[in-house]
Amino acid sequence: QVQLVESGGGLVQAGGSLRLSCVASGSIFKINDMGWYRQAPGKQRDLVATVTSGGSTNYADSVKGRFTISRDNAENTVYLQMTSLKSEDTAVYYCHANIQRIGFITALNYRGQGTQVTVSS
């Protein structure tokens, strides 16, 4: 099996910073794209940022210039450094990864349980 475990969420004042981490573990052969999505109360889940295994990144327009996604391939970990946080960044943040398990040909999408980020104004 494969697990994604997020950490680093919490309560922060507007203008502050937080760093989210997500570690993938289990019978992993290869991790392709990794990324972060978020879901605010009453809203759909939206893409925040993604990073390929080669390090290419993609960001939602709403977080460009404020958030930075990175990954440590040796540690199967993806990070999201969030700065200049706004109240509208308040959401549950979910880690996603496209993972090929040992002994399997097809890679599947996995998601973590989520971590709450609350930005107070």
Side-chain angles (χ1 to χ4, degrees):
Q1 250 311 358
V2 169
Q3 275 192 317
L4 298 178
V5 179
E6 302 104 332
S7 60
L11 174 64
V12 63
Q13 288 189 330
S17 300
L18 279 176
R19 189 192 197 206
L20 306 182
S21 301
C22 171
V23 180
S25 63
S27 57
I28 296 171
F29 174 70
K30 180 183 178 183
I31 302 179
N32 299 309
D33 291 0
M34 303 185 82
W36 292 92
Y37 289 71
R38 67 186 181 186
Q39 188 167 19
K43 296 188 177 181
Q44 66 181 22
R45 188 172 300 169
D46 291 327
L47 168 72
V48 176
T50 60
V51 58
T52 68
S53 57
S56 296
T57 58
N58 180 54
Y59 295 93
D61 288 342
S62 59
V63 307
K64 282 181 181 176
R66 300 188 299 121
F67 291 9
T68 302
I69 189 170
S70 61
R71 64 190 282 175
D72 183 334
N73 291 330
E75 299 293 332
N76 291 340
T77 301
V78 63
Y79 304 97
L80 185 68
Q81 179 67 50
M82 305 184 292
T83 63
S84 301
L85 283 161
K86 306 174 182 179
S87 57
E88 51 263 44
D89 294 318
T90 295
V92 178
Y93 284 70
Y94 296 92
C95 171
H96 284 242
N98 184 259
I99 298 173
Q100 183 181 354
R101 293 173 58 189
I102 296 171
F104 289 77
I105 296 175
T106 303
L108 298 177
N109 293 322
Y110 293 87
R111 188 194 80 190
Q113 291 297 310
T115 185
Q116 177 70 46
V117 172
T118 302
V119 184
S120 63
S121 55

